[in-house]
Amino acid sequence: MQLKELVPNDLNPDASLEQLVAQLRKRHAATDTVLAIRLNRNGRTDLSPTLFEDLPYSEVWLFWAASPDAQDWRLYGNMRAAPVLTEYQYPTATP
């Protein structure tokens, strides 16, 4: 598994998902490795599967905190197939 992060605006306001994907496209040969990218910034981001089409990874997954307290999370992928959005809580609520 390869883990990458789209860093928050306060760390690098010029960073973008498109730039991160372009860098990954250049650096690696085809592999069976799964890529997971944490989207760690506020706002909207284009999650079009076409952005990830020619990445050299077997699977591409995106995940992000969906609430300010980081208890609600979203997992979106596989971007190389038919992506599905999964919502979950962490830590998991106990009955």
Side-chain angles (χ1 to χ4, degrees):
M1 169 160 299
Q2 177 78 37
L3 181 61
K4 294 293 181 181
E5 178 182 23
L6 176 59
V7 297
N9 281 332
D10 60 331
L11 290 180
N12 184 353
D14 297 326
S16 71
L17 183 58
E18 292 80 4
Q19 288 174 331
L20 178 60
V21 168
Q23 291 170 355
L24 292 169
R25 194 175 286 124
K26 290 180 194 176
R27 288 191 203 164
H28 301 285
T31 179
D32 290 334
T33 302
V34 174
L35 173 65
I37 302 173
R38 179 178 181 191
L39 304 179
N40 194 2
R41 62 173 52 198
N42 294 328
R44 296 191 176 265
T45 301
D46 179 15
L47 302 181
S48 171
T50 57
L51 177 63
F52 307 93
E53 281 180 345
D54 57 347
L55 279 175
Y57 297 91
S58 63
E59 298 180 20
V60 178
W61 295 82
L62 308 172
F63 65 102
W64 62 92
S67 64
D69 63 1
Q71 289 192 353
D72 296 318
W73 287 80
R74 303 295 181 265
L75 175 66
Y76 190 54
N78 170 16
M79 303 306 290
R80 302 287 312 252
V84 175
L85 180 66
T86 303
E87 301 177 2
Y88 62 98
Q89 289 190 328
Y90 184 84
T92 305
T94 54

